[in-house]
Amino acid sequence: KTMPELRALFKGMDKDQDNQITLEEFGQCDVKAQETLYQLFQTDDLVELFEILDVDGGGSVSIDEFCDEMTNLATTQLPMEQIRMLKQMSMARMASS
């Protein structure tokens, strides 16, 4: 049920229609999309949410990556604070490699 909604949310943010969302596009999403993201993930930090969604750290998020990670975040039992810490540790490991 939520997959079509997530795909529509993604399409609305993908301003250049290249099937990738950059941080810039993510940050420029409309107010309704922002409210949806804030509600789903109890965060008002879109940069941080983008970094969590950008699993490979490539600077953009594909539609599949977006839908998979949004689903994972929405269904996880982990508190958002723990997800933040796990992402920071992952980024630190990647930087030291």
Side-chain angles (χ1 to χ4, degrees):
K1 176 185 171 188
T2 59
M3 202 54 69
E5 293 170 10
L6 290 175
R7 289 187 175 278
L9 184 60
F10 180 94
K11 296 279 186 198
M13 288 188 274
D14 185 15
K15 300 299 182 199
D16 60 6
Q17 302 299 304
D18 66 349
N19 291 319
Q20 298 282 324
I21 297 176
T22 62
L23 178 57
E24 184 177 339
E25 288 173 315
F26 197 77
Q28 292 176 353
C29 64
D30 64 36
V31 173
K32 185 175 181 187
Q34 287 180 22
E35 288 173 358
T36 299
L37 294 169
Y38 297 158
Q39 263 186 340
L40 286 172
F41 304 107
Q42 295 87 42
T43 183
D44 59 357
D45 189 341
L46 291 180
V47 172
E48 181 179 61
L49 182 56
F50 180 84
E51 289 172 350
I52 290 169
L53 295 173
D54 185 14
V55 175
D56 63 5
S60 65
V61 177
S62 71
I63 191 165
D64 291 332
E65 192 176 21
F66 179 82
C67 291
D68 289 348
E69 289 306 308
M70 292 288 269
T71 302
N72 289 342
L73 287 173
T75 60
T76 186
Q77 297 298 315
L78 296 174
M80 193 60 158
E81 187 59 38
Q82 190 171 355
I83 293 168
R84 287 181 187 117
M85 289 189 307
L86 291 170
K87 179 63 178 185
Q88 289 171 354
M89 289 181 350
S90 174
M91 290 171 64
R93 271 190 240 121
M94 286 173 49
S96 67
S97 298

